[in-house]
mmCIF file of all heavy atoms in Angstrom:
data_model
loop_
_atom_site.group_PDB
_atom_site.id
_atom_site.type_symbol
_atom_site.label_atom_id
_atom_site.label_comp_id
_atom_site.label_asym_id
_atom_site.label_seq_id
_atom_site.Cartn_x
_atom_site.Cartn_y
_atom_site.Cartn_z
ATOM 1 N N ILE A 1 -6.004 9.989 -4.055
ATOM 2 C CA ILE A 1 -5.326 8.885 -3.517
ATOM 3 C C ILE A 1 -4.009 8.554 -4.335
ATOM 4 O O ILE A 1 -2.973 8.380 -3.848
ATOM 5 C CB ILE A 1 -6.231 7.665 -3.326
ATOM 6 C CG1 ILE A 1 -7.206 8.029 -2.286
ATOM 7 C CG2 ILE A 1 -5.290 6.481 -2.982
ATOM 8 C CD1 ILE A 1 -8.306 6.983 -2.107
ATOM 9 N N THR A 2 -4.312 8.560 -5.747
ATOM 10 C CA THR A 2 -3.110 8.248 -6.601
ATOM 11 C C THR A 2 -2.023 9.303 -6.524
ATOM 12 O O THR A 2 -0.846 9.026 -6.491
ATOM 13 C CB THR A 2 -3.671 8.054 -8.067
ATOM 14 O OG1 THR A 2 -4.659 7.073 -8.095
ATOM 15 C CG2 THR A 2 -2.527 7.749 -8.991
ATOM 16 N N SER A 3 -2.486 10.500 -6.478
ATOM 17 C CA SER A 3 -1.536 11.662 -6.389
ATOM 18 C C SER A 3 -0.726 11.546 -5.054
ATOM 19 O O SER A 3 0.451 11.691 -5.019
ATOM 20 C CB SER A 3 -2.164 12.986 -6.497
ATOM 21 O OG SER A 3 -2.836 13.147 -7.735
ATOM 22 N N PHE A 4 -1.458 11.268 -3.983
ATOM 23 C CA PHE A 4 -0.821 11.199 -2.707
ATOM 24 C C PHE A 4 0.250 10.000 -2.639
ATOM 25 O O PHE A 4 1.435 10.246 -2.235
ATOM 26 C CB PHE A 4 -1.809 10.957 -1.597
ATOM 27 C CG PHE A 4 -1.172 10.830 -0.249
ATOM 28 C CD1 PHE A 4 -0.651 11.940 0.363
ATOM 29 C CD2 PHE A 4 -1.088 9.499 0.324
ATOM 30 C CE1 PHE A 4 -0.044 11.809 1.747
ATOM 31 C CE2 PHE A 4 -0.574 9.454 1.681
ATOM 32 C CZ PHE A 4 -0.056 10.542 2.244
ATOM 33 N N VAL A 5 -0.147 8.864 -3.225
ATOM 34 C CA VAL A 5 0.741 7.734 -3.282
ATOM 35 C C VAL A 5 2.022 8.004 -4.092
ATOM 36 O O VAL A 5 3.141 7.757 -3.716
ATOM 37 C CB VAL A 5 0.036 6.526 -3.660
ATOM 38 C CG1 VAL A 5 1.039 5.318 -4.013
ATOM 39 C CG2 VAL A 5 -1.017 6.046 -2.646
ATOM 40 N N LEU A 6 1.824 8.612 -5.281
ATOM 41 C CA LEU A 6 2.982 8.925 -6.144
ATOM 42 C C LEU A 6 3.771 9.901 -5.508
ATOM 43 O O LEU A 6 5.043 9.826 -5.613
ATOM 44 C CB LEU A 6 2.337 9.455 -7.471
ATOM 45 C CG LEU A 6 1.746 8.401 -8.408
ATOM 46 C CD1 LEU A 6 1.190 9.104 -9.648
ATOM 47 C CD2 LEU A 6 2.846 7.385 -8.858
ATOM 48 N N GLN A 7 3.265 10.972 -4.973
ATOM 49 C CA GLN A 7 4.038 12.060 -4.263
ATOM 50 C C GLN A 7 4.877 11.544 -3.183
ATOM 51 O O GLN A 7 5.991 11.903 -2.920
ATOM 52 C CB GLN A 7 3.082 13.178 -3.799
ATOM 53 C CG GLN A 7 3.813 14.344 -3.049
ATOM 54 C CD GLN A 7 2.812 15.422 -2.674
ATOM 55 O OE1 GLN A 7 1.862 15.665 -3.291
ATOM 56 N NE2 GLN A 7 3.237 16.035 -1.573
ATOM 57 N N THR A 8 4.313 10.590 -2.358
ATOM 58 C CA THR A 8 5.005 10.228 -1.034
ATOM 59 C C THR A 8 5.810 9.004 -1.352
ATOM 60 O O THR A 8 6.723 8.600 -0.528
ATOM 61 C CB THR A 8 3.985 9.875 -0.020
ATOM 62 O OG1 THR A 8 3.004 8.811 -0.498
ATOM 63 C CG2 THR A 8 3.292 11.040 0.369
ATOM 64 N N THR A 9 5.731 8.306 -2.433
ATOM 65 C CA THR A 9 6.637 7.087 -2.669
ATOM 66 C C THR A 9 7.443 7.349 -3.987
ATOM 67 O O THR A 9 8.633 7.471 -3.739
ATOM 68 C CB THR A 9 5.699 5.781 -2.935
ATOM 69 O OG1 THR A 9 4.792 6.055 -4.094
ATOM 70 C CG2 THR A 9 4.908 5.443 -1.761
ATOM 71 N N VAL A 10 6.889 7.285 -5.096
ATOM 72 C CA VAL A 10 7.684 7.349 -6.310
ATOM 73 C C VAL A 10 8.615 8.646 -6.399
ATOM 74 O O VAL A 10 9.854 8.544 -6.612
ATOM 75 C CB VAL A 10 6.822 7.280 -7.592
ATOM 76 C CG1 VAL A 10 7.675 7.415 -8.868
ATOM 77 C CG2 VAL A 10 6.151 5.781 -7.495
ATOM 78 N N PHE A 11 7.977 9.779 -6.260
ATOM 79 C CA PHE A 11 8.715 11.005 -6.469
ATOM 80 C C PHE A 11 9.698 11.286 -5.179
ATOM 81 O O PHE A 11 10.703 11.990 -5.372
ATOM 82 C CB PHE A 11 7.862 12.229 -6.620
ATOM 83 C CG PHE A 11 7.233 12.224 -7.964
ATOM 84 C CD1 PHE A 11 5.787 11.910 -8.090
ATOM 85 C CD2 PHE A 11 7.948 12.406 -9.127
ATOM 86 C CE1 PHE A 11 5.245 11.843 -9.355
ATOM 87 C CE2 PHE A 11 7.374 12.333 -10.266
ATOM 88 C CZ PHE A 11 6.001 12.117 -10.433
ATOM 89 N N ASN A 12 9.370 10.808 -4.027
ATOM 90 C CA ASN A 12 10.478 10.881 -2.913
ATOM 91 C C ASN A 12 11.563 9.975 -3.028
ATOM 92 O O ASN A 12 12.582 10.227 -2.640
ATOM 93 C CB ASN A 12 9.624 10.667 -1.617
ATOM 94 C CG ASN A 12 9.079 11.985 -0.993
ATOM 95 O OD1 ASN A 12 9.307 13.060 -1.415
ATOM 96 N ND2 ASN A 12 8.134 11.699 -0.082
ATOM 97 N N PHE A 13 11.241 8.816 -3.781
ATOM 98 C CA PHE A 13 12.178 7.753 -3.884
ATOM 99 C C PHE A 13 13.345 8.279 -4.853
ATOM 100 O O PHE A 13 14.438 8.066 -4.745
ATOM 101 C CB PHE A 13 11.691 6.513 -4.302
ATOM 102 C CG PHE A 13 12.695 5.346 -4.471
ATOM 103 C CD1 PHE A 13 13.341 4.826 -3.401
ATOM 104 C CD2 PHE A 13 12.912 4.893 -5.781
ATOM 105 C CE1 PHE A 13 14.249 3.848 -3.558
ATOM 106 C CE2 PHE A 13 13.854 3.927 -5.998
ATOM 107 C CZ PHE A 13 14.470 3.347 -4.848
ATOM 108 N N HIS A 14 12.847 8.881 -6.050
ATOM 109 C CA HIS A 14 13.740 9.359 -7.082
ATOM 110 C C HIS A 14 14.205 10.783 -6.962
ATOM 111 O O HIS A 14 14.643 11.400 -7.871
ATOM 112 C CB HIS A 14 13.105 9.181 -8.422
ATOM 113 C CG HIS A 14 12.758 7.716 -8.815
ATOM 114 N ND1 HIS A 14 13.871 6.842 -9.035
ATOM 115 C CD2 HIS A 14 11.782 7.022 -8.898
ATOM 116 C CE1 HIS A 14 13.362 5.710 -9.369
ATOM 117 N NE2 HIS A 14 12.039 5.790 -9.302
ATOM 118 N N ASP A 15 14.035 11.270 -5.740
ATOM 119 C CA ASP A 15 14.335 12.685 -5.413
ATOM 120 C C ASP A 15 15.849 12.801 -5.266
ATOM 121 O O ASP A 15 16.530 12.159 -4.502
ATOM 122 C CB ASP A 15 13.585 13.042 -4.222
ATOM 123 C CG ASP A 15 13.816 14.564 -3.845
ATOM 124 O OD1 ASP A 15 14.005 15.316 -4.827
ATOM 125 O OD2 ASP A 15 13.832 14.817 -2.686
ATOM 126 N N MET A 16 16.494 13.821 -5.914
ATOM 127 C CA MET A 16 17.908 14.059 -5.733
ATOM 128 C C MET A 16 18.227 15.199 -5.033
ATOM 129 O O MET A 16 19.311 15.334 -4.401
ATOM 130 C CB MET A 16 18.562 14.144 -7.199
ATOM 131 C CG MET A 16 18.561 12.940 -8.003
ATOM 132 S SD MET A 16 19.509 13.082 -9.512
ATOM 133 C CE MET A 16 19.258 11.621 -10.292
ATOM 134 N N THR A 17 17.295 16.201 -5.040
ATOM 135 C CA THR A 17 17.730 17.549 -4.356
ATOM 136 C C THR A 17 17.064 17.639 -2.953
ATOM 137 O O THR A 17 17.191 18.599 -2.291
ATOM 138 C CB THR A 17 17.227 18.711 -5.199
ATOM 139 O OG1 THR A 17 15.877 18.588 -5.280
ATOM 140 C CG2 THR A 17 17.927 18.676 -6.547
ATOM 141 N N GLY A 18 16.297 16.673 -2.473
ATOM 142 C CA GLY A 18 15.580 16.832 -1.198
ATOM 143 C C GLY A 18 14.205 17.295 -1.317
ATOM 144 O O GLY A 18 13.468 17.470 -0.319
ATOM 145 N N VAL A 19 13.726 17.672 -2.561
ATOM 146 C CA VAL A 19 12.368 18.135 -2.723
ATOM 147 C C VAL A 19 11.749 17.359 -3.771
ATOM 148 O O VAL A 19 12.413 16.818 -4.652
ATOM 149 C CB VAL A 19 12.446 19.666 -3.096
ATOM 150 C CG1 VAL A 19 12.876 20.535 -1.895
ATOM 151 C CG2 VAL A 19 13.208 19.975 -4.317
ATOM 152 N N SER A 20 10.347 17.260 -3.775
ATOM 153 C CA SER A 20 9.595 16.571 -4.786
ATOM 154 C C SER A 20 8.447 17.376 -5.184
ATOM 155 O O SER A 20 8.116 18.272 -4.420
ATOM 156 C CB SER A 20 9.151 15.175 -4.255
ATOM 157 O OG SER A 20 8.370 15.383 -3.119
ATOM 158 N N PRO A 21 7.839 17.174 -6.435
ATOM 159 C CA PRO A 21 6.672 17.942 -6.782
ATOM 160 C C PRO A 21 5.476 17.758 -5.893
ATOM 161 O O PRO A 21 5.330 16.607 -5.391
ATOM 162 C CB PRO A 21 6.429 17.515 -8.166
ATOM 163 C CG PRO A 21 7.131 16.137 -8.263
ATOM 164 C CD PRO A 21 8.188 16.095 -7.350
ATOM 165 N N ASP A 22 4.725 18.777 -5.802
ATOM 166 C CA ASP A 22 3.490 18.775 -4.975
ATOM 167 C C ASP A 22 2.362 18.264 -5.831
ATOM 168 O O ASP A 22 1.601 19.209 -6.232
ATOM 169 C CB ASP A 22 3.322 20.054 -4.215
ATOM 170 C CG ASP A 22 2.372 19.978 -3.096
ATOM 171 O OD1 ASP A 22 1.664 18.885 -2.907
ATOM 172 O OD2 ASP A 22 2.237 20.858 -2.346
ATOM 173 N N LEU A 23 2.094 17.085 -5.939
ATOM 174 C CA LEU A 23 1.008 16.600 -6.694
ATOM 175 C C LEU A 23 -0.361 16.871 -6.148
ATOM 176 O O LEU A 23 -1.334 17.113 -6.860
ATOM 177 C CB LEU A 23 1.099 15.053 -7.081
ATOM 178 C CG LEU A 23 2.301 14.597 -7.743
ATOM 179 C CD1 LEU A 23 2.387 13.065 -7.917
ATOM 180 C CD2 LEU A 23 2.521 15.320 -9.043
ATOM 181 N N LEU A 24 -0.439 16.858 -4.873
ATOM 182 C CA LEU A 24 -1.743 17.268 -4.184
ATOM 183 C C LEU A 24 -2.034 18.742 -4.469
ATOM 184 O O LEU A 24 -3.257 19.070 -4.582
ATOM 185 C CB LEU A 24 -1.643 16.989 -2.703
ATOM 186 C CG LEU A 24 -1.441 15.594 -2.294
ATOM 187 C CD1 LEU A 24 -1.189 15.421 -0.851
ATOM 188 C CD2 LEU A 24 -2.602 14.764 -2.894
ATOM 189 N N MET A 25 -0.991 19.641 -4.509
ATOM 190 C CA MET A 25 -1.364 20.980 -4.961
ATOM 191 C C MET A 25 -1.776 21.171 -6.356
ATOM 192 O O MET A 25 -2.770 21.889 -6.679
ATOM 193 C CB MET A 25 -0.065 21.844 -4.668
ATOM 194 C CG MET A 25 -0.269 23.296 -5.014
ATOM 195 S SD MET A 25 -1.527 24.183 -4.022
ATOM 196 C CE MET A 25 -0.661 24.179 -2.406
ATOM 197 N N ILE A 26 -1.304 20.313 -7.236
ATOM 198 C CA ILE A 26 -1.631 20.300 -8.644
ATOM 199 C C ILE A 26 -3.093 19.885 -8.733
ATOM 200 O O ILE A 26 -3.983 20.570 -9.542
ATOM 201 C CB ILE A 26 -0.770 19.367 -9.473
ATOM 202 C CG1 ILE A 26 0.706 19.924 -9.499
ATOM 203 C CG2 ILE A 26 -1.236 19.241 -10.846
ATOM 204 C CD1 ILE A 26 1.658 19.030 -10.072
ATOM 205 N N ILE A 27 -3.587 18.964 -7.992
ATOM 206 C CA ILE A 27 -5.028 18.426 -8.189
ATOM 207 C C ILE A 27 -5.857 19.484 -7.503
ATOM 208 O O ILE A 27 -6.993 19.732 -7.965
ATOM 209 C CB ILE A 27 -5.083 17.006 -7.684
ATOM 210 C CG1 ILE A 27 -6.533 16.540 -8.072
ATOM 211 C CG2 ILE A 27 -5.079 16.994 -6.181
ATOM 212 C CD1 ILE A 27 -6.709 14.953 -7.868
ATOM 213 N N THR A 28 -5.423 20.096 -6.405
ATOM 214 C CA THR A 28 -6.157 21.033 -5.782
ATOM 215 C C THR A 28 -6.470 22.215 -6.668
ATOM 216 O O THR A 28 -7.536 22.779 -6.941
ATOM 217 C CB THR A 28 -5.652 21.485 -4.440
ATOM 218 O OG1 THR A 28 -5.526 20.419 -3.667
ATOM 219 C CG2 THR A 28 -6.448 22.621 -3.759
ATOM 220 N N MET A 29 -5.356 22.672 -7.397
ATOM 221 C CA MET A 29 -5.461 23.927 -8.261
ATOM 222 C C MET A 29 -6.202 23.555 -9.448
ATOM 223 O O MET A 29 -7.100 24.270 -9.866
ATOM 224 C CB MET A 29 -4.026 24.326 -8.619
ATOM 225 C CG MET A 29 -3.976 25.421 -9.626
ATOM 226 S SD MET A 29 -4.137 25.043 -11.336
ATOM 227 C CE MET A 29 -2.854 23.843 -11.689
ATOM 228 N N SER A 30 -6.034 22.348 -9.969
ATOM 229 C CA SER A 30 -6.661 21.975 -11.238
ATOM 230 C C SER A 30 -8.236 21.957 -11.057
ATOM 231 O O SER A 30 -9.071 22.499 -11.877
ATOM 232 C CB SER A 30 -6.172 20.550 -11.648
ATOM 233 O OG SER A 30 -4.923 20.674 -12.013
ATOM 234 N N PHE A 31 -8.709 21.304 -10.027
ATOM 235 C CA PHE A 31 -10.167 21.100 -9.796
ATOM 236 C C PHE A 31 -10.825 22.447 -9.284
ATOM 237 O O PHE A 31 -12.027 22.699 -9.522
ATOM 238 C CB PHE A 31 -10.550 19.916 -9.056
ATOM 239 C CG PHE A 31 -10.428 18.754 -9.768
ATOM 240 C CD1 PHE A 31 -9.262 17.892 -9.863
ATOM 241 C CD2 PHE A 31 -11.479 18.329 -10.619
ATOM 242 C CE1 PHE A 31 -9.204 16.808 -10.665
ATOM 243 C CE2 PHE A 31 -11.410 17.189 -11.477
ATOM 244 C CZ PHE A 31 -10.274 16.385 -11.475
ATOM 245 N N GLY A 32 -9.874 23.306 -8.582
ATOM 246 C CA GLY A 32 -10.336 24.561 -8.272
ATOM 247 C C GLY A 32 -10.754 25.506 -9.470
ATOM 248 O O GLY A 32 -11.804 26.071 -9.581
ATOM 249 N N ILE A 33 -9.816 25.505 -10.393
ATOM 250 C CA ILE A 33 -10.085 26.482 -11.590
ATOM 251 C C ILE A 33 -10.970 25.702 -12.587
ATOM 252 O O ILE A 33 -11.570 26.402 -13.369
ATOM 253 C CB ILE A 33 -8.847 26.969 -12.177
ATOM 254 C CG1 ILE A 33 -7.892 25.823 -12.761
ATOM 255 C CG2 ILE A 33 -7.975 27.789 -11.146
ATOM 256 C CD1 ILE A 33 -6.712 26.356 -13.609
ATOM 257 N N MET A 34 -11.060 24.440 -12.631
ATOM 258 C CA MET A 34 -11.856 23.794 -13.546
ATOM 259 C C MET A 34 -13.328 23.675 -13.139
ATOM 260 O O MET A 34 -14.301 23.837 -13.889
ATOM 261 C CB MET A 34 -11.382 22.400 -13.940
ATOM 262 C CG MET A 34 -10.164 22.302 -14.884
ATOM 263 S SD MET A 34 -9.810 20.630 -15.481
ATOM 264 C CE MET A 34 -9.248 19.887 -14.022
ATOM 265 N N ARG A 35 -13.631 23.468 -11.819
ATOM 266 C CA ARG A 35 -14.819 23.188 -11.359
ATOM 267 C C ARG A 35 -15.460 24.240 -10.385
ATOM 268 O O ARG A 35 -16.585 24.287 -9.987
ATOM 269 C CB ARG A 35 -14.898 21.822 -10.597
ATOM 270 C CG ARG A 35 -14.311 20.796 -11.351
ATOM 271 C CD ARG A 35 -15.245 20.251 -12.447
ATOM 272 N NE ARG A 35 -16.504 19.706 -11.799
ATOM 273 C CZ ARG A 35 -17.469 19.076 -12.500
ATOM 274 N NH1 ARG A 35 -17.250 18.860 -13.800
ATOM 275 N NH2 ARG A 35 -18.561 18.726 -12.034
ATOM 276 N N GLY A 36 -14.673 25.228 -9.944
ATOM 277 C CA GLY A 36 -15.186 26.308 -8.993
ATOM 278 C C GLY A 36 -14.710 26.233 -7.618
ATOM 279 O O GLY A 36 -13.858 25.349 -7.299
ATOM 280 N N ARG A 37 -15.174 27.242 -6.886
ATOM 281 C CA ARG A 37 -14.730 27.300 -5.409
ATOM 282 C C ARG A 37 -15.123 26.069 -4.592
ATOM 283 O O ARG A 37 -14.240 25.594 -3.864
ATOM 284 C CB ARG A 37 -15.368 28.559 -4.824
ATOM 285 C CG ARG A 37 -14.835 29.902 -5.468
ATOM 286 C CD ARG A 37 -15.474 30.978 -4.880
ATOM 287 N NE ARG A 37 -16.887 31.045 -4.910
ATOM 288 C CZ ARG A 37 -17.597 31.916 -5.495
ATOM 289 N NH1 ARG A 37 -16.944 33.058 -5.834
ATOM 290 N NH2 ARG A 37 -18.951 31.827 -5.653
ATOM 291 N N ARG A 38 -16.324 25.652 -4.784
ATOM 292 C CA ARG A 38 -16.675 24.459 -3.882
ATOM 293 C C ARG A 38 -15.904 23.262 -4.031
ATOM 294 O O ARG A 38 -15.429 22.681 -3.175
ATOM 295 C CB ARG A 38 -18.161 24.246 -4.091
ATOM 296 C CG ARG A 38 -18.717 23.142 -3.185
ATOM 297 C CD ARG A 38 -20.216 22.942 -3.420
ATOM 298 N NE ARG A 38 -20.770 21.916 -2.644
ATOM 299 C CZ ARG A 38 -21.007 20.747 -3.257
ATOM 300 N NH1 ARG A 38 -20.895 20.516 -4.566
ATOM 301 N NH2 ARG A 38 -21.466 19.739 -2.553
ATOM 302 N N GLU A 39 -15.749 22.909 -5.340
ATOM 303 C CA GLU A 39 -14.953 21.674 -5.740
ATOM 304 C C GLU A 39 -13.498 21.924 -5.355
ATOM 305 O O GLU A 39 -12.854 20.956 -4.880
ATOM 306 C CB GLU A 39 -15.046 21.524 -7.175
ATOM 307 C CG GLU A 39 -14.598 20.174 -7.647
ATOM 308 C CD GLU A 39 -15.682 19.123 -7.810
ATOM 309 O OE1 GLU A 39 -16.839 19.492 -7.879
ATOM 310 O OE2 GLU A 39 -15.326 17.922 -7.817
ATOM 311 N N GLY A 40 -12.957 23.072 -5.594
ATOM 312 C CA GLY A 40 -11.521 23.303 -5.201
ATOM 313 C C GLY A 40 -11.346 23.211 -3.724
ATOM 314 O O GLY A 40 -10.313 22.659 -3.173
ATOM 315 N N MET A 41 -12.318 23.788 -2.948
ATOM 316 C CA MET A 41 -12.219 23.770 -1.443
ATOM 317 C C MET A 41 -12.294 22.308 -0.985
ATOM 318 O O MET A 41 -11.561 21.851 -0.062
ATOM 319 C CB MET A 41 -13.404 24.621 -0.888
ATOM 320 C CG MET A 41 -13.253 24.585 0.652
ATOM 321 S SD MET A 41 -14.523 25.797 1.329
ATOM 322 C CE MET A 41 -15.928 24.919 0.897
ATOM 323 N N LEU A 42 -13.306 21.521 -1.505
ATOM 324 C CA LEU A 42 -13.399 20.190 -1.045
ATOM 325 C C LEU A 42 -12.112 19.204 -1.500
ATOM 326 O O LEU A 42 -11.718 18.456 -0.667
ATOM 327 C CB LEU A 42 -14.676 19.470 -1.650
ATOM 328 C CG LEU A 42 -16.023 20.074 -0.933
ATOM 329 C CD1 LEU A 42 -17.132 19.544 -1.762
ATOM 330 C CD2 LEU A 42 -15.989 19.669 0.495
ATOM 331 N N THR A 43 -11.673 19.390 -2.657
ATOM 332 C CA THR A 43 -10.503 18.782 -3.078
ATOM 333 C C THR A 43 -9.347 19.095 -2.167
ATOM 334 O O THR A 43 -8.606 18.243 -1.747
ATOM 335 C CB THR A 43 -10.214 19.044 -4.589
ATOM 336 O OG1 THR A 43 -11.328 18.694 -5.303
ATOM 337 C CG2 THR A 43 -8.975 18.265 -5.010
ATOM 338 N N GLY A 44 -9.124 20.392 -1.868
ATOM 339 C CA GLY A 44 -8.078 20.795 -1.027
ATOM 340 C C GLY A 44 -8.190 20.355 0.367
ATOM 341 O O GLY A 44 -7.254 19.885 0.982
ATOM 342 N N PHE A 45 -9.411 20.238 0.801
ATOM 343 C CA PHE A 45 -9.697 19.733 2.135
ATOM 344 C C PHE A 45 -9.129 18.316 2.224
ATOM 345 O O PHE A 45 -8.468 17.950 3.217
ATOM 346 C CB PHE A 45 -11.219 19.733 2.517
ATOM 347 C CG PHE A 45 -11.560 19.134 3.783
ATOM 348 C CD1 PHE A 45 -11.376 19.856 5.024
ATOM 349 C CD2 PHE A 45 -12.032 17.861 3.820
ATOM 350 C CE1 PHE A 45 -11.772 19.201 6.198
ATOM 351 C CE2 PHE A 45 -12.402 17.281 5.010
ATOM 352 C CZ PHE A 45 -12.282 17.951 6.291
ATOM 353 N N PHE A 46 -9.570 17.404 1.307
ATOM 354 C CA PHE A 46 -9.226 16.051 1.415
ATOM 355 C C PHE A 46 -7.737 15.754 1.093
ATOM 356 O O PHE A 46 -7.056 14.919 1.695
ATOM 357 C CB PHE A 46 -10.115 15.293 0.433
ATOM 358 C CG PHE A 46 -11.473 15.051 0.957
ATOM 359 C CD1 PHE A 46 -12.470 15.692 0.404
ATOM 360 C CD2 PHE A 46 -11.692 14.322 2.154
ATOM 361 C CE1 PHE A 46 -13.803 15.546 0.863
ATOM 362 C CE2 PHE A 46 -13.001 14.157 2.613
ATOM 363 C CZ PHE A 46 -14.031 14.866 2.005
ATOM 364 N N CYS A 47 -7.136 16.607 0.204
ATOM 365 C CA CYS A 47 -5.664 16.560 -0.017
ATOM 366 C C CYS A 47 -4.903 16.897 1.286
ATOM 367 O O CYS A 47 -3.956 16.240 1.690
ATOM 368 C CB CYS A 47 -5.231 17.421 -1.166
ATOM 369 S SG CYS A 47 -5.803 16.896 -2.803
#
């Protein structure tokens, strides 16, 4: 939820080039490689 709020508000507001970092992809990737396939899939599902 924090990543989604930051990605859609703060980083979109301070965006100069029309793109912003994908924080939801970062959390999906992080918990996928740290916790395994099941956790990565569930995190990705909710993101």
Side-chain angles (χ1 to χ4, degrees):
I1 291 169
T2 303
S3 295
F4 179 75
V5 169
L6 287 173
Q7 177 177 332
T8 57
T9 57
V10 174
F11 288 110
N12 274 342
F13 180 71
H14 292 293
D15 183 31
M16 294 190 182
T17 61
V19 294
S20 61
D22 194 349
L23 300 180
L24 295 175
M25 182 60 72
I26 295 171
I27 194 168
T28 300
M29 178 274 308
S30 297
F31 282 94
I33 64 173
M34 284 191 291
R35 306 287 295 188
R37 292 181 299 232
R38 181 174 174 262
E39 192 99 16
M41 184 175 65
L42 288 172
T43 305
F45 175 82
F46 288 110
C47 288

